[in-house]
């Protein structure tokens, strides 16, 4: 599926990287780890700077290009895609920041000289605070547990978040290595994407200087923006679904491919529309129109339904051979399961369960 009528240079590079390296190695990587050589290839491709500002060495590519490159990488090797996709949030955070950390890191991250990970999904459990932050000297002290951190051993830096006693979300950069106050678990063995090197991080008095802070904002303000992001359907869903359909014969795949294209088009159209101005104050979470939220959750749920159908069809078409752990169909099916819960919130979980027929019937709109 192509979004750009005349391929952007980044799309061309993503296809080449997928064809020459990621896809041929995907089953081996799935049973092992994303190798450092894969990350070096991604760095050389310029894809780490896809969303980065041009004046710092990035490509500042439009949303259609960002989505298409994400689809290509995820469909080829979801583990490699997942490691590198963490990088774009720190870049975008720095692009909106000011101060020493922006000047120190935005250029190297935009040019792909450094790879960043993220440690902030635990913020979604607020008012519970898995990571607590408090001022200490001329910096900040972090204590608690980051349950999930991806790319350990591959990332150069990480963007770490916690919540202060006054209810602020604070994001700061640290070196992605064990150090006083920061200890990583052994890499987790997971049903899918074990290769992405996911660990938990124990924080026991990790101290970061004030100059490392990239963002400090009321929690409710951060949560409002995060909620909008989690309502939309990520490009990886379409990339993995399309990869699964490529394992079917054309006659079998055609109806699903048509439905997938329709949902994909709707999902991206909704993502491109402006977020309603709710007029929320700095200390209150804006209230989005319920119909606006429901429409996006319905499309997201339908995209996941098609992903599940496409990956299941690939397993069925593969027959007994699909039960081998080296089967591409089985890998894609497990990656599809991973995407069902990646970036999940209570709100999106409820919509998905209703779409699966669990709980009260919802009023979600269907397409196709």
């Amino acid at each position: 599926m192509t979004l750009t009528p005349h391929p952007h240079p980044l799309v061309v590079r993503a296809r080449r990287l997928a064809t020459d390296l990621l896809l041929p190695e995907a089953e081996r990587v799935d049973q092992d780890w994303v190798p450092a050589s894969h990350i070096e290839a991604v760095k050389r491709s310029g894809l780490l700077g896809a969303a980065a500002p041009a004046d710092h060495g990035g490509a500042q590519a439009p949303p259609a290009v960002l989505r298409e490159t994400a689809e290509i990488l995820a469909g080829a090797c979801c583990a490699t895609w997942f490691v590198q996709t963490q990088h774009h949030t720190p870049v975008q955070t720095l692009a909106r920041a000011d101060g020493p950390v922006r000047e120190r890191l935005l250029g190297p991250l935009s040019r792909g000289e450094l790879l960043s990970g993220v440690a902030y999904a635990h913020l979604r459990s607020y008012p519970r605070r898995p990571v607590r932050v408090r001022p200490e000297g001329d910096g900040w002290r972090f204590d608690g547990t980051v349950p999930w951190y991806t790319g350990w051993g591959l990332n150069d830096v990480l963007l770490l978040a916690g919540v202060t006693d006054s209810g602020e979300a604070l994001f700061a950069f640290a070196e992605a290595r064990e150090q006083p106050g920061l200890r990583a678990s052994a890499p987790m063995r997971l049903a899918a994407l074990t290769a992405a090197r996911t660990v938990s991080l124990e924080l026991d008095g990790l101290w970061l200087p004030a100059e490392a802070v990239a963002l400090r904002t009321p929690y409710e303000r951060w949560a409002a923006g995060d909620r909008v992001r989690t309502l939309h359907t990520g490009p990886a869903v379409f990339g993995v679904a399309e990869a699964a359909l490529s394992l079917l014969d054309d006659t079998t795949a055609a109806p699903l491919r048509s439905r997938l294209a329709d949902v994909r088009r709707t999902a991206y159209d909704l993502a491109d529309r402006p977020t309603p101005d709710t007029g929320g104050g700095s200390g209150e979470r804006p209230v989005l129109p319920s119909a606006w939220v429901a429409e996006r959750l319905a499309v997201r749920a339908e995209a996941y339904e098609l992903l599940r159908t496409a990956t299941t069809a690939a397993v069925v078409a593969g027959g007994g051979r699909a039960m081998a752990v080296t089967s591409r169909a089985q890998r894609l099916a497990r990656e599809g399961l991973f995407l069902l819960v990646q970036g999940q919130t209570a709100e999106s979980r409820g919509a998905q369960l209703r779409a699966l027929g669990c709980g009260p019937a919802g009023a979600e709109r269907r397409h196709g």
Side-chain angles (χ1 to χ4, degrees):
M1 295 185 289
T2 301
L3 287 170
T4 48
H6 302 290
H8 188 281
L10 285 180
V11 172
V12 174
R13 290 178 213 163
R15 287 178 181 156
R16 184 180 304 124
L17 181 65
T19 301
D20 295 348
L21 178 63
L22 302 187
L23 189 57
E25 295 287 320
E27 278 66 61
R28 182 187 65 79
V29 167
D30 177 61
Q31 296 302 308
D32 192 12
W33 306 107
V34 173
S37 56
H38 273 38
I39 298 305
E40 290 305 313
V42 174
K43 287 180 174 180
R44 290 193 302 270
S45 72
L47 290 165
L48 292 181
D55 59 2
H56 280 73
Q60 207 166 332
V65 171
L66 303 181
R67 292 166 183 153
E68 192 166 3
T69 55
E71 287 185 16
I72 292 167
L73 297 184
C77 178
C78 201
T80 301
W81 162 79
F82 193 52
V83 171
Q84 67 82 42
T85 200
Q86 316 290 316
H87 179 88
H88 302 294
T89 295
V91 168
Q92 292 166 333
T93 301
L94 283 175
R96 295 188 293 268
D98 54 26
V101 72
R102 184 182 197 274
E103 296 309 310
R104 178 168 63 89
L105 289 177
L106 184 54
L109 292 176
S110 298
R111 295 188 295 270
E113 296 164 6
L114 298 176
L115 177 71
S116 182
V118 293
Y120 73 84
H122 51 274
L123 292 184
R124 296 177 183 135
S125 64
Y126 189 82
R128 191 167 62 85
R129 293 191 295 160
V131 176
R132 302 171 303 282
V133 188
R134 68 173 187 264
E136 186 173 280
D138 57 352
W140 297 88
R141 175 186 172 118
F142 289 76
D143 290 281
T145 301
V146 175
W148 305 93
Y149 177 78
T150 295
W152 186 254
L154 295 171
N155 296 320
D156 301 295
V157 295
L158 63 90
L159 181 61
L160 172 64
V163 179
T164 68
D165 292 339
S166 61
E168 286 186 311
L170 188 144
F171 291 71
F173 280 90
E175 292 186 28
R177 59 173 179 82
E178 292 205 350
Q179 54 191 288
L182 189 160
R183 186 178 72 255
S185 72
M188 300 178 190
R189 300 298 301 181
L190 305 171
L193 274 72
T194 284
R197 305 195 196 193
T198 297
V199 299
S200 63
L201 300 177
E202 292 299 323
L203 307 171
D204 183 14
L206 174 68
W207 184 85
L208 297 175
E211 291 78 12
V213 174
L215 176 64
R216 185 179 170 189
T217 187
Y219 174 82
E220 294 295 344
R221 181 180 297 169
W222 174 83
D226 181 67
R227 184 192 184 201
V228 171
R229 286 187 292 273
T230 59
L231 290 173
H232 293 294
T233 309
V237 172
F238 301 111
V240 172
E242 180 62 28
L245 294 180
S246 73
L247 300 180
L248 306 177
D249 64 73
D250 290 343
T251 301
T252 305
L256 283 174
R257 185 168 282 122
S258 176
R259 290 175 59 199
L260 188 68
D262 287 344
V263 174
R264 177 176 177 267
R265 185 165 43 250
T266 301
Y268 290 165
D269 175 65
L270 291 176
D272 286 336
R273 295 181 191 175
T275 303
D277 181 3
T278 59
S282 61
E284 300 179 357
R285 185 179 302 192
V287 178
L288 293 166
S290 58
W292 191 91
V293 171
E295 186 175 30
R296 282 148 183 80
L297 286 174
V299 172
R300 176 179 163 124
E302 184 160 10
Y304 283 130
E305 178 189 345
L306 285 169
L307 171 65
R308 183 168 53 91
T309 301
T311 55
T312 301
V315 170
V316 171
R321 293 185 301 277
M323 291 300 98
V325 293
T326 54
S327 160
R328 180 158 298 173
Q330 188 197 100
R331 171 177 62 82
L332 292 168
R334 287 186 284 107
E335 291 171 352
L337 289 174
F338 166 81
L339 292 175
L340 286 176
V341 298
Q342 188 251 331
Q344 186 185 66
T345 64
E347 188 172 39
S348 62
R349 181 188 302 115
Q352 286 174 241
L353 289 173
R354 289 192 296 274
L356 290 168
C358 305
E364 287 85 5
R365 182 167 66 91
R366 296 182 61 81
H367 301 261

